[in-house]
């Protein structure tokens, strides 16, 4: 049974989440504050954490940092904070995803399932470097992209950016992380680099670049690769 730790101080929302999760056969623990959350996480070893940022005893960011000191458990933030810098701060602290309140329960459950799946995926070994979609195939070892039976030429920078995304499928990768990894910079003023290169990748790989299926933008936060 997948165990979920719900960290939320709104009793009504906690009840709704617990009911929906248990109805789908999840094991659920609930914590009304950060200190209780950290104790429960250590004692119960949840498979995923749903975390509100506005807790009565500490900021949710501190809970993320506390968990990341010893655990890689997926953390999905549930917050009414909608500012981009708030979202980026949470993701950079170690959160895996960010869902803005109010949210659809179905969307939340889909993201929860995706987070759990990512923890179950065995990291690709030297012989497991093929990424296949309905529209293109990537051989990460040979650095070869094929679409409609034809090789697609990608620059070294495009490959580097694409590799970071496709090796963490479904995970939101922040602009700051991509800028640092690919260009060695993290200044927000350089985000035009990302826009230009993502547009090029979509043009080369997506069936409909204006409505991408695989290379998804999370406005103000970053990008994710979806199969």
């Amino acid at each position: 049974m997948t165990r979920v730790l719900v960290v939320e101080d709104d009793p009504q929302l906690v009840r709704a989440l617990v009911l929906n999760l248990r109805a789908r056969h999840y094991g659920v623990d609930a914590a009304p504050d950060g200190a209780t959350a950290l104790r429960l996480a250590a004692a119960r070893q949840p498979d995923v954490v749903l975390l509100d940022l506005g807790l009565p005893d500490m900021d949710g960011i501190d809970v993320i940092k506390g968990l990341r000191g010893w655990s890689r458990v997926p953390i999905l933030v549930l917050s009414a904070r909608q500012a981009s810098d708030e979202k980026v701060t949470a993701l950079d602290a170690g959160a895996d995803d960010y869902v803005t309140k109010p949210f659809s329960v179905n969307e939340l459950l889909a993201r929860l399932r995706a987070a759990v799946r990512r923890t179950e995926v065995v990291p690709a070994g030297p012989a497991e470097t093929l990424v296949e979609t309905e529209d293109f195939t990537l051989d990460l070892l040979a650095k070869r992209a094929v679409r409609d039976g034809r090789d697609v030429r990608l620059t070294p920078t495009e490959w580097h950016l694409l590799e970071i995304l496709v090796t963490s499928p479904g995970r939101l990768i922040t602009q700051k992380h991509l800028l640092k990894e690919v260009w060695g910079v993290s200044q927000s003023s350089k985000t035009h680099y990302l826009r230009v290169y993502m547009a090029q990748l979509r043009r080369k790989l997506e069936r409909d670049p204006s409505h991408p299926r695989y290379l998804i933008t999370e406005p103000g936060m970053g990008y994710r690769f979806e199969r």
Side-chain angles (χ1 to χ4, degrees):
M1 177 184 291
T2 299
R3 181 154 294 279
V4 182
L5 173 58
V6 176
V7 188
E8 170 64 61
D9 64 338
D10 180 343
Q12 186 174 352
L13 180 54
V14 171
R15 282 195 297 272
L17 289 171
V18 170
L19 286 171
N20 276 282
L21 289 166
R22 287 180 176 165
R24 291 163 175 83
H25 308 294
Y26 289 96
V28 188
D29 295 301
D33 55 56
T36 304
L38 293 172
R39 287 198 300 271
L40 277 176
R44 303 287 283 173
Q45 298 288 312
D47 298 296
V48 63
V49 176
L50 302 182
L51 172 67
D52 181 27
L53 294 182
L55 300 172
D57 61 337
M58 67 176 73
D59 194 276
I61 299 297
D62 294 322
V63 177
I64 296 172
K65 292 177 179 177
L67 288 171
R68 285 293 172 255
W70 59 273
S71 173
R72 300 311 303 164
V73 61
I75 301 172
L76 277 66
V77 169
L78 311 178
S79 180
R81 303 177 188 176
Q82 300 187 22
S84 294
D85 57 346
E86 296 269 14
K87 297 176 182 179
V88 170
T89 297
L91 293 164
D92 283 339
D96 294 88
D97 207 343
Y98 196 108
V99 181
T100 303
K101 297 178 181 177
F103 52 81
S104 156
V105 171
N106 286 336
E107 178 189 358
L108 174 63
L109 291 170
R111 295 201 188 195
L112 186 152
R113 290 192 297 270
V116 172
R117 280 198 305 271
R118 289 196 291 274
T119 66
E120 296 170 346
V121 174
V122 177
E128 300 173 311
T129 56
L130 201 63
V131 177
E132 296 181 289
T133 74
E134 291 183 10
D135 295 311
F136 59 85
T137 301
L138 305 174
D139 185 334
L140 301 182
L141 191 62
K143 295 192 181 299
R144 184 187 181 205
V146 177
R147 178 181 169 191
D148 296 330
R150 298 180 180 179
D151 284 351
V152 177
R153 182 183 177 279
L154 299 179
T155 68
T157 299
E158 289 169 347
W159 263 113
H160 194 179
L161 178 58
L162 188 60
E163 281 177 334
I164 294 171
L165 293 169
V166 301
T167 52
S168 297
R171 180 166 185 173
L172 175 59
I173 310 296
T174 65
Q175 294 175 343
K176 181 179 179 180
H177 180 79
L178 290 170
L179 286 167
K180 184 176 181 180
E181 290 297 316
V182 179
W183 288 279
V185 297
S186 58
Q187 298 96 325
S188 59
S189 61
K190 305 295 185 183
T191 55
H192 64 280
Y193 290 175
L194 290 171
R195 289 195 297 272
V196 169
Y197 276 88
M198 289 300 293
Q200 292 175 186
L201 285 171
R202 287 170 177 148
R203 179 175 55 80
K204 293 179 179 182
L205 298 175
E206 293 276 4
R207 186 71 57 185
D208 182 357
S210 61
H211 298 89
R213 173 180 174 184
Y214 305 102
L215 301 172
I216 309 300
T217 300
E218 293 286 356
M221 294 189 288
Y223 300 88
R224 72 171 82 233
F225 171 70
E226 296 286 0
R227 289 194 174 183

